[in-house]
Amino acid sequence: MSEQLVFTRPEVLADVATHYCPGCQHGVVHRIVAECLEGYGLVEKTIAVSSIGCSVFLYNYILVDTVEAPHGRAPAVATGVKRARTDAFVFTYQGDGDLASIGMAEIMHAANRGERISVIFVNNTVYGMTGGQMAPTTMVGQKTTTCPGGRCLEREGGPIHMSEIIATLGGVAYCARTAVNTIKNIAQTKRAIRRAFETQIKGEGFGFVEVLATCPTNWRMSSVAANERVGKEMIPEFPLGVFKDAAKEE
Amino acid sequence: MSAKRIFIKGNEAIAHGALDAGCRCYFGYPITPQNDIPEMLSSAMPAAGGEFVQAESEVASANMLLGAAACGVRAMTTSSSPGVSLMQEAISYMAGSDLPGVVVNMNRGGPGLGDIGPSQGDYFQSVKGGGHGDYRTLVLAPGSCQECYDLTFEAFDLAFKYRNPVLILGDAIVGQMKEPVARREALPIDPAEGGDWKLTGRGQRAPRILKSLFLEDGALAGQNIRLRDKYAAMAAEVRYEAFETADAELVVVAYGSIGRIVKSTVRALRAEGLKVGLLRPVTLFPFPEAALRDLAGQGKRFLTIEHNLGQMVDDVRLAVRGLADSEFFGFLPGNMPTPEDFDAPVRAAVKGA
Ligand SMILES: Cc1ncc(C[n+]2csc(CCOP(=O)(O)OP(=O)(O)O)c2C)c(N)n1
Ligand code: SF4
């Protein structure tokens, strides 16, 4: 019986083992980004901006021209890249600590200016790389190494909902929140990232996709339990959906 | 555009110098006393086919500079002291990633919010670092509107030659005064500039990565050694003005606007027959230490004059160590000095010893 290969690795994805922990979903999101880059034929004209956090090594896995930004500044760096090279396809890849804490000003203003860039925002409600400290997106009651008793609403405030905030800004063409905890949601994430890329290709404005993802290591959970937490706890707090789509509003 | 003389402010000369040198991306945030630069470039840069962005902060404008620099495009940001403090993060990252860009600081008084008047309080920040890590930036200190133009024009070549940030350290005096400035022939944009490192989208070639993270064993050491060699090579760029130093018994060392004002003092005292000269560093890094040491070897004495509590004087003393020392006179920020303000200290130093 002859075998037929029906599922292959996108060429733009390096054929290497990643440094991510078992069950970490950065790898899943990388793959989706890679598939969308290839799907739109963008690989050759892409300039990626990698950020701070576990995903700083994006450039080891997605084989496109890449510049590394300081903590939180990826949207400003991407603004400089896009202004200097208006014909390039430019995306940032940022974690929640990166984007919603130090980088809050940069993301808000790049979105508001309607920079023709795409932002992939991976929200795992914790600082992964530095060892599991509280993030702006950490949920009330969630234990981290800097809120060992659980995040307290009165003391630390509640989790920031970035997609809801970004969707209110004028320059935003597309803003959605998705997850990668089920096959259906993975497919939805791919549709969202495709649409975010499309807004840049068509010059419609700023594209933003927040992806809810796991950090089993810092959640102190098995991969399976971590994946279940996304459905049970995160999605109720961070509802999935499209918060803005310029094309649909016309 | 043909070369011609125009009557402009130092700040405007910086903007013209950048445009004529082929700078096509400008990022900035308003702060006195350098607002003439973004105001002019907000219309001139788009008119030249470039990009102007008023950023949300100096943090953002310096990071936009980093992004544009990574693409091999001539880019600039300008600010003044508190704003330049905010840019130090990106400047360190640019140094660590070998990225060329031009940063202008029209120094005002500090620390903190200080005042908006002229000062040289940012010498240490510019010359010794300011951001984190083992790095250097080329630092150019204009003393006239012509130098504002020329040094900005040349800063882009230097930035690309060394793949390093270049700082221009002016102040409120040189930024706000008006003088005739001879413009050069505008440089054509060179699409090949940046060569084999700039990001263009990889096309058919292997991907390029511009980064300052070096985690593998020995990788950072390798980068630090490369950077050390680069900073050593920058010694070739030393520039200074030596005025009446040949037979001087006392050499006054002063830079930028203060160097310019001290020159008038020196001229007046020369007319009385006092043996005094001026050495005005134009590059603050690399510092003209060989020239100073040479003068020290000839038995000359030194007086360093700055518009601060004493910063460059450390470098003068290092340059002449073992052979001489330097006296110091600091004119305090918050006021603008005249040549007469330096008369007494220079006169006393010439007669001293
Ligand atoms: C200015 C600065 N402050 C702090 C750090 C340390 N740091 C590195 S990664 C990180 C948090 C990253 O968290 P997140 O963005 O959520 O990414 P993750 O690791 O979870 O993927 C921090 C605080 C830094 N690199 N730079
Ligand atoms: S620490 Fe968390 S985010 Fe980082 S690789 Fe491990 S699981 Fe992924």
Side-chain angles (χ1 to χ4, degrees), chain A residues 12 43-47 52 56-57 59-60 63-71 73 76-77 79-81 83-86 105-106 109-110 113 115, chain B residues 25 27 51-53 56-57 59-60 63-64 66-68 70-71 73 89 93 198-213 215:
Chain A
V12 70
V43 170
E44 294 186 2
K45 57 183 285 195
T46 292
I47 300 178
I52 298 299
V56 62
F57 294 114
Y59 43 71
N60 289 344
L63 304 176
V64 296
D65 274 8
T66 306
V67 57
E68 197 180 68
H71 196 358
R73 317 300 181 208
V77 173
T79 298
V81 170
R83 298 298 183 119
R85 218 164 267 294
T86 44
E106 284 75 19
H109 287 276
R113 280 193 304 270
E115 292 296 336
Chain B
C25 281
F27 313 103
E51 295 279 328
F52 170 92
V53 181
E56 61 270 28
S57 67
V59 173
N63 279 285
M64 290 174 189
L66 186 161
C71 297
V73 169
E89 173 192 62
Y93 273 77
K198 68 184 175 188
L199 306 187
T200 58
R202 68 170 217 207
Q204 299 294 320
R205 59 164 167 75
R208 291 175 185 157
I209 301 163
L210 295 171
K211 64 181 180 107
S212 59
L213 179 65
L215 284 185

Side-chain angles (χ1 to χ4, degrees), chain B residues 11-28:
Chain B
N11 282 339
E12 294 164 333
I14 287 171
H16 279 292
L19 282 167
D20 291 348
C23 173
R24 287 299 177 270
C25 281
Y26 174 87
F27 313 103

Side-chain angles (χ1 to χ4, degrees), chain A residues 26 52-55 71 95-98 102 124 126-130:
Chain A
H26 269 306
I52 298 299
C54 284
S55 61
H71 196 358
D96 47 88
D98 188 81
I102 291 186
N124 58 17
V126 77
Y127 285 17
M129 181 178 250
T130 42

Side-chain angles (χ1 to χ4, degrees), chain B residues 246-260:
Chain B
D247 67 339
E249 286 162 15
L250 179 86
V251 173
V252 183
V253 189
Y255 74 93
S257 304
I258 298 301
R260 177 97 173 267

Side-chain angles (χ1 to χ4, degrees), chain A residues 19-26 54 124 126-129 214-218:
Chain A
H19 72 293
Y20 298 112
C21 308
C24 176
Q25 292 174 339
H26 269 306
C54 284
N124 58 17
V126 77
Y127 285 17
M129 181 178 250
T214 54
C215 177
T217 304
N218 288 304

Side-chain angles (χ1 to χ4, degrees), chain B residues 31-108:
Chain B
I31 184 169
T32 308
Q34 59 83 56
N35 291 324
D36 313 286
I37 306 173
E39 284 173 2
M40 186 187 143
L41 291 176
S42 65
S43 48
M45 193 57 90
E51 295 279 328
F52 170 92
V53 181
Q54 179 168 324
E56 61 270 28
S57 67
E58 292 86 350
V59 173
S61 42
N63 279 285
M64 290 174 189
L65 176 70
L66 186 161
C71 297
V73 169
R74 292 187 166 212
M76 176 172 82
T77 186
T78 66
S79 189
S80 181
S81 310
V84 178
S85 289
L86 289 179
M87 293 177 174
Q88 295 301 331
E89 173 192 62
I91 294 171
S92 166
Y93 273 77
M94 288 176 73
S97 309
D98 295 88
L99 292 178
V102 174
V103 178
V104 176
N105 179 4
M106 301 312 271
N107 198 152
R108 59 187 244 180

